Amino acid sequence: MKGKLCGHDLLTYDLLPSTSDYLKENDLPIGTVVRAHAQSAGRGRRGNGFSSLEGGLYFSVSLPRSMPDSQMWAVTFMAANALCDVIGERALIKWVNDVYIDGRKVAGILTEVRPDRLILGVGINVKKVDLPPEIKETATSLEECGINKTADAVLEGFFEHFDRYFDIRDVGDALERYRTRSLLTGKEITYTENGERKSAWATGIADNGNLICEKDGATFTLSSGEVFEVRSNK
Ligand code: BTN
């Protein structure tokens, strides 16, 4: 189905393998939003799958590559901020691309670089559904958290905020907003380095989007990888 959303062309499908793959495989004008009510091969970061059952909101948008590659992380930050704006103050961002409520993941963001465009994909658990066993304990939905917003309202609200952030392209503003919502700041975390599991304290978000950590009095940053929160009392 074809429609319009905050000035974007909107294509809606009942089921797609992945809305981001659809945008990669079809030469649609930049700015097009593709939404699916369910995905059969939803993808997350680092080749992970993303559970995309009916009851969630799954969409991707193609964006111009109008920021330097070194600032691509800021697009993910803008999307995370826009999601938090829509969900409300209970939403926090787990570096780098996940949105959490009450310690559980409610949304994920995947920003991918193509030669001529960026593809931003967002998945949000909206309705309470029977999640797969492997994420049952760690994921939640807006409905489960008592936030009764429709998927349509979340989608529209997202673009009202995201388009403003992306039009202005103020990386400093994206950072400031992200920092106030950073779930990991002040927490003990674990991460993997050269196949080895390590721990450190996360102390903030650096100006280049990296996670600032401390261990035995030394400060260092993490630029990528999966990071897990362990505890919050130093
Ligand atoms: C993550 O959790 O690592 C990111 C998940 C991103 C999921 C969205 S859903 C819409 C778009 N299509 C996909 O296949 N992935 C993204």
Side-chain angles (χ1 to χ4, degrees), residues 82-107:
L83 279 178
C84 291
D85 293 340
V86 176
I87 295 170
E89 59 189 21
R90 287 167 67 197
L92 294 173
I93 307 164
K94 176 174 168 275
W95 184 85
V96 58
N97 66 321
D98 291 333
V99 175
Y100 273 56
I101 301 176
D102 299 343
R104 291 181 178 213
K105 178 167 169 170
V106 72

Side-chain angles (χ1 to χ4, degrees), residues 65 67-75 113 171 207-210:
R65 277 189 68 172
M67 289 169 78
D69 282 4
S70 61
Q71 287 184 346
M72 226 55 97
W73 53 268
V75 178
V113 182
V171 173
D207 288 350
N208 65 357
N210 287 355

Side-chain angles (χ1 to χ4, degrees), residues 16-71:
L16 284 178
S18 154
T19 54
S20 291
D21 289 347
Y22 187 93
L23 275 176
K24 285 182 192 168
E25 289 157 10
N26 295 277
D27 190 20
L28 296 163
I30 286 189
T32 304
V33 178
V34 175
R35 173 186 182 180
H37 295 303
Q39 297 181 120
S40 54
R43 295 182 296 101
R45 285 175 74 235
R46 291 179 305 282
N48 292 330
F50 185 81
S51 166
S52 308
L53 302 169
E54 219 170 293
L57 169 63
Y58 315 105
F59 64 92
S60 301
V61 58
S62 60
L63 300 167
R65 277 189 68 172
S66 49
M67 289 169 78
D69 282 4
S70 61
Q71 287 184 346

